[in-house]
């Protein structure tokens, strides 16, 4: 019996003519990539070598393009705000309709971009007004530029920090056109240090800026000021702004039925900072607030208005997708509906629930076992804090196989075992995780 012919492409001699670009592109259609993209892939694969391996090269190129697309994944790392996975998990639901971004339905005239999400955020923080920009780095830059360009900003040496990704307080000052005045020392700064900086000869202080050193801790012989003390020690002409970073809007967490979890303790919050006298707070919307990437400036209406009409505002203003998402999220907070806030739902799921899910998963996959784990807040927030959790573990390193599931599952390996922490996995994905774990090939020894 004659053997079936090999596919024309599989074992061609090196001298064979390369396949036609169009045919090669069409053979990759199952990747789902548009034909124009596949034609480009085919051209590159043919140009990059001799005809013999154009097909596998094109397949590899197409595959890497598919993997390079932004796509949803199952986060089994236990890191709640995973910077590489977009920080907070957040649903976007928008149809192709016009929206009242700057339109007032009451008057039929031009409206205010800060009138919807901004107003709700202000209410959440107990602020007179709030402004949304593209991220917190932009919030700090805009605030300092609007309130202190050409003048001085006081910053404690212990808070003159770098947040990951190149956000460095001294460089933000430089970009804003304000002059940084260092106050105190790295480990100890007192209220008097600020007061003396204001009264020293020739001073021109426009703002005192506190910055939450989100991602590190100074321990031992340290002193730092609290907001109320600082406000009391400075003249009214020097407002205190506080970059709280993580976006905890209220330390009392009224949206959580059981109140704030113990691991949050000590994290500065917008409402309490403003109540203590801060004129403005700035924070990220995609850290502990659990929203899309955005930054918020909240506080005194006159100062927020100065930020809003600064020329930089045009360069850092968010679009309708972010504004709509933040509005929905702010409404969920105000309704105290934690089921609509994915980040807080995951962060506060009782360990017992996670354990039950882990037990059920382990029962379905003979190689996996249910075990206690420790989740992390992530995004440089709350360094050193861990949150008790449960998940499943398997012997060996299965990261590559898990990443090739659809949707990909991102896990971690510790001491030669693959761990999937269920705190960051939606219960709706448990079936997918179970089926993927069950189908894993044996781990590499
Ligand atoms: C995270 C953080 C920033 C930067 O915020 P982005 O939203 O990432 O731009 C700035 N300041 C503090 C204190 C932070 O924690």
């Amino acid at each position: 019996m004659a053997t079936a012919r090999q596919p024309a492409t599989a074992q061609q001699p090196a001298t064979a003519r390369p396949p036609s670009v169009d045919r090669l592109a069409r053979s990759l259609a199952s990747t789902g990539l548009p034909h124009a993209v596949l034609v480009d892939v085919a051209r590159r694969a043919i140009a990059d070598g001799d005809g013999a391996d154009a097909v596998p090269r094109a397949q590899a190129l197409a595959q890497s393009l598919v993997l390079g697309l932004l796509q949803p994944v199952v986060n089994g790392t236990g890191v709640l705000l995973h910077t590489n996975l977009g920080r907070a998990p957040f649903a976007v639901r928008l149809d192709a309709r016009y929206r009242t971004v700057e339109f007032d339905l009451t008057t039929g005239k031009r409206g205010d971009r800060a009138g919807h999400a901004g107003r709700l955020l202000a209410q959440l923080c107990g602020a007179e007004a709030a402004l949304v920009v593209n991220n917190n780095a932009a919030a700090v830059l805009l605030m300092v530029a609007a309130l202190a360009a050409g003048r001085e900003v006081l910053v404690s040496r212990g808070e003159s920090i770098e947040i990951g990704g190149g956000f460095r307080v001294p460089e933000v000052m430089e970009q804003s056109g304000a002059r940084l005045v260092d106050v105190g020392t790295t480990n100890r700064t007192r209220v008097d240090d600020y007061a003396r900086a204001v009264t020293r000869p020739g001073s021109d202080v426009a703002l005192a800026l506190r910055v939450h050193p989100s991602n590190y801790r100074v321990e031992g012989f340290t002193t730092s000021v609290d907001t109320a003390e600082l406000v009391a020690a400075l003249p009214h002409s020097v407002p205190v702004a506080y970059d709280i970073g993580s976006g905890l809007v209220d330390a009392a967490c009224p949206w959580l039925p059981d109140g704030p979890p113990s691991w949050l303790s000590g994290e500065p919050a917008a409402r309490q900072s403003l109540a203590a006298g801060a004129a403005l707070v700035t924070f990220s919307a995609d850290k502990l607030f659990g929203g899309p990437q955005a930054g918020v400036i909240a506080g005194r209406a006159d100062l927020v208005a100065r930020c809003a009409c600064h020329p930089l505002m045009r360069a850092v203003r968010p679009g309708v997708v972010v504004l709509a998402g933040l509005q929905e999220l702010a409404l969920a907070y105000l309704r105290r509906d934690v089921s609509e806030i994915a980040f807080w739902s995951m962060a506060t799921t009782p360990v017992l629930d996670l354990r039950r899910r882990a037990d059920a998963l382990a029962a379905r996959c003979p190689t996996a076992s249910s075990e206690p784990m420790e989740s992390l807040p992530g995004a440089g927030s709350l360094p050193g804090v861990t949150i008790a959790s449960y998940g499943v573990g398997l012997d060996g390193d299965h990261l590559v196989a898990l990443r090739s599931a659809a949707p990909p599952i991102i896990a971690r390996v510790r001491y030669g075992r693959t761990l999937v922490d269920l705190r960051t996995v939606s219960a709706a994905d448990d079936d997918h995780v179970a089926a993927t774990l069950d189908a894993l090939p044996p781990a590499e020894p």
Side-chain angles (χ1 to χ4, degrees), residues 103-315:
F103 185 84
D104 185 329
L105 279 177
T106 312
T107 61
K109 300 210 168 83
R110 179 161 184 178
D112 174 11
R113 203 172 263 260
H116 13 75
R119 191 163 13 191
L120 298 171
L121 282 160
Q123 182 169 349
L124 274 173
C125 300
E128 290 172 10
L131 187 65
V132 181
V133 295
N134 278 336
N135 51 42
N136 189 32
V140 176
L141 177 67
L142 173 66
M143 174 179 73
V144 177
L147 305 184
R151 299 187 60 201
E152 293 172 343
V153 178
L154 307 182
V155 180
S156 162
R157 284 195 170 82
E159 296 178 354
S160 202
I161 55 165
E162 172 173 327
I163 311 281
F167 178 90
R168 310 178 93 189
V169 168
E171 288 167 16
V172 173
M173 291 298 143
E174 209 174 294
Q175 290 300 316
S176 71
R179 293 193 301 281
L180 172 65
V181 176
D182 293 312
V183 174
T185 64
T186 304
N187 56 332
R188 308 196 83 181
T189 300
R190 301 181 187 80
V191 164
D192 286 353
D193 296 320
Y194 286 92
R196 250 184 294 117
V198 173
T199 53
R200 77 191 201 285
S203 78
D204 182 24
V205 179
L207 187 70
L209 176 64
R210 293 201 62 198
V211 184
H212 178 48
S214 311
N215 52 6
Y216 80 103
R217 241 178 221 154
V218 184
E219 285 185 23
F221 185 60
T222 63
T223 306
S224 60
V225 302
D226 84 27
T227 302
E229 278 179 324
L230 181 57
V231 171
L234 294 179
H236 188 67
S237 59
V238 179
V240 173
Y242 193 176
D243 176 20
I244 62 170
S246 292
L248 178 61
V249 284
D250 186 339
C253 301
W255 60 92
L256 297 177
D258 298 326
S262 58
W263 49 265
L264 255 190
S265 84
E267 187 65 13
R271 177 175 284 272
Q272 284 70 23
S273 299
L274 293 170
L280 291 177
V281 292
T282 55
F283 59 86
S284 295
D286 51 349
K287 294 184 183 169
L288 296 180
F289 191 61
Q293 182 194 299
V296 178
I297 304 174
R300 255 170 57 187
D302 60 323
L303 301 182
V304 170
R306 276 168 68 188
C307 297
C309 66
H310 188 277
L312 256 183
M313 182 60 204
R314 186 65 171 81

Side-chain angles (χ1 to χ4, degrees), residues 80-81 88-89 263 287-290 333 341-348 377:
L80 281 156
L81 301 169
W263 49 265
K287 294 184 183 169
L288 296 180
F289 191 61
Y333 270 93
I341 312 173
F343 166 76
W344 282 108
S345 294
M346 285 181 167
T348 59

Side-chain angles (χ1 to χ4, degrees), residues 75-89 286 343 376-380 410-411 424:
N75 175 11
T77 65
V79 179
L80 281 156
L81 301 169
H82 196 302
T83 303
N84 298 348
L85 301 180
R87 289 190 179 158
D286 51 349
F343 166 76
L376 300 172
I410 315 297
T424 47

